[in-house]
Amino acid sequence: MIPLAALPTPALLVDLDRLERNINAMAGAFAAAGVALRPHIKTSKCWEVARRQLAAGATGFTCSTAAEVAWLQGRGVADLLWAHIPIGPRKVAFVVDAIAQHGGGLTVSLDSVEAARPLSAAATAAGVTVPFVLEVDTGHARLGVQPPEAVATATAIAALPGLRLRGVLTHEGHVSALADRTALERAGAAAGTLLVGVADALRSAGFPVEMVSVGSTPGATSAPFVAGVTEGRPGTYVYFDANQTRLGSCTPDQCAQTVLARVASVQRPGRPIIDAGVKAMSSDAIAAAGAVGVLLNRPGVTFTEANEEHGFLHDTGAVPLVVGDLVRLVPNHACGTTNMWSHLYAVRGALAVERWEISARY
Ligand SMILES: Cc1ncc(COP(=O)(O)O)c(C=O)c1O
């Protein structure tokens, strides 16, 4: 056990009490509604977090990269959803090999017959069947077919050999654009309803649809609980972050991930410089309105800008920060911050109790 003051700075910390509460609260809400929970692994990329999510009832994980899929398959996780299009020869070969080697256990996401063709050819050549979900755009305007085109696209893809439609998927990330929580909840429910409608249309067209999968942290209190949705894929909830606090997905005391930093210089009054910049925090600003992160337990101090390894604070606090002071910073976006680090310290109170590896980064 190491006191926080003895850790190197900057350091990535995860508060174990908050982590466990976040895991259990989401698992409890999903279990009570009879909806499967398939968390997105990109938030933690950490087996110590993942195994706690599995123990609390997660059915498997959502992945965004081949590296995440390979890492979790190596850990023996039997039910993975790669929620990205397996495009290009390397990803196609990876999917087919992964399914051949592990006897299944991997579902991919597709939204066009063009992306499906090479996968079908490789699967057929290898003698495997690749299960897929059809991604549907319910408003995020990123991947996914428009709902009225879902049956035609599913029909075209399912006509290819070596592929099997399991269901439909959406990422209702557009709800983050809504600052008002009531409007956000309504948009989440609308996305779920739209997806269930697409699932019903596919069933009417003769497709068996076993998966109706929604997924996001801001939408995790609405979209998964629409009748007909079978699973939700929130990721950020495991740590939460400053963006989710602003969106009302959590309260500040639920944020489990922080960056520990030290004041290195106060040459300009009211402008302390810390030893954590964008390479510690990530430069992900999304909803941050100009801040690089939020200080924990330091009213009157804001984190206004950053260079690579220097952070610029603005200190109007009653007791000004001095050289050597420790500060803890809640990142804007937990997933982006995770990807900057190769390990983290698990913390209880003021003690680091374990050092955990972060896996499957680029
Ligand atoms: C396809 C997909 N599913 C689930 C999630 C999880 O959403 P969140 O990070 O809001 O928890 C994401 C996040 O980007 C995603 O892209």
Side-chain angles (χ1 to χ4, degrees), residues 40 42-43 62 83 142 171 215-218 233-237 244 335:
H40 207 307
K42 74 190 170 76
T43 306
T62 307
R142 188 175 68 180
H171 169 53
S216 74
T217 291
R233 312 181 314 276
T236 306
Y237 80 95
Q244 295 305 324
C335 315

Side-chain angles (χ1 to χ4, degrees), residues 279-292:
K279 284 186 174 169
M281 303 295 293
S282 95
S283 54
D284 207 328
I286 303 183
V292 186

Side-chain angles (χ1 to χ4, degrees), residues 39-54 60-80 82 94 98 101-102 106 239 338-339 341-342 344 356-362:
H40 207 307
I41 197 65
K42 74 190 170 76
T43 306
S44 77
K45 292 175 173 279
C46 177
W47 179 246
E48 288 298 327
V49 175
R51 71 174 182 81
R52 284 167 171 77
Q53 291 173 297
L54 289 171
F61 289 102
T62 307
C63 301
S64 46
T65 65
E68 290 170 356
V69 172
W71 163 58
L72 288 177
Q73 280 191 325
R75 286 285 187 172
V77 180
D79 189 355
L80 297 174
W82 188 3
F94 171 78
Q101 277 173 29
H102 294 271
L106 175 62
Y239 293 159
T338 285
N339 205 51
W341 294 86
S342 52
L344 63 85
W356 293 349
E357 193 181 335
I358 297 173
S359 304
R361 297 165 56 231
Y362 278 128

